Amino acid sequence: YWILGRCQEALDPLGEVASTPEGAYLKGCCLLELGRCEEAVKAFADAAAKGEDAFDTAMCIAEAQRRGGNLDAALEQVRACQAGNADRAELHYQKGRCLEERGEYEEAMEEMERACELDAEHARAAFRLAYLCELRGLDDLAMEYYEKCAEMKPTYANALLNLGVLCEDAGDYYRAVECYRRVLAADPMNARARLCVRDAEGSLAMYY
């Protein structure tokens, strides 16, 4: 159920194993996706107390605190883990997200770049870095990071959608259509992709 994104349904069977580290951790993941951030924090803390990996649960707690609007607590949680974990990509990603939320974009980009250097397959860091580059008008660099993100498995649909928009802006409509069709192949009812592919395909038929 969790893999399928049906997090509410996943919570029922998890009640039977919530006393285990793995059960408490997965319960926190489901609650986080449902937007029940305070409950997610408690579940991750419970998982840590039961023996789940301390670093992983700390980063999940920071994620839940940040999503719940408790930005100061999230940043404090990340900074408390810095000693001995400077080589962890997730640490730099979480710190970068907190800095981004605070409007410290230059510092956030530095943290995302560091995360990508440490883990070339860290899709979330690559996506956020691409997004920050796009906001600053660095379209070529943004496209580079979106492409990296799109090559990873599983692929971020939003990375393909944003890449498609940038391709359209650059006049590369064939490539844009390819991006949108990749999203639709996995999610035929994706409203944004359906709208974008119609526009991009229409542009291919235009003449002056």
Side-chain angles (χ1 to χ4, degrees), residues 178-191:
E178 180 186 352
C179 290
Y180 302 141
R181 284 178 177 168
R182 280 183 63 188
V183 175
L184 290 171
D187 182 9
M189 299 307 293
N190 188 298

Side-chain angles (χ1 to χ4, degrees), residues 133-134 137-147 163 166 170:
C133 287
E134 186 179 354
L138 304 172
D139 288 356
D140 290 342
L141 194 55
M143 289 178 72
E144 180 182 332
Y145 281 109
Y146 279 138
E147 285 169 351
L163 178 59
L166 288 176

Side-chain angles (χ1 to χ4, degrees), residues 4 21 30 59 83 88 90 106 115 126 131 144 159 163 177 190:
L4 291 170
C30 291
M59 293 300 98
R88 301 264 199 143
E90 184 66 16
E106 292 290 343
Y131 179 72
E144 180 182 332
L163 178 59
V177 169
N190 188 298

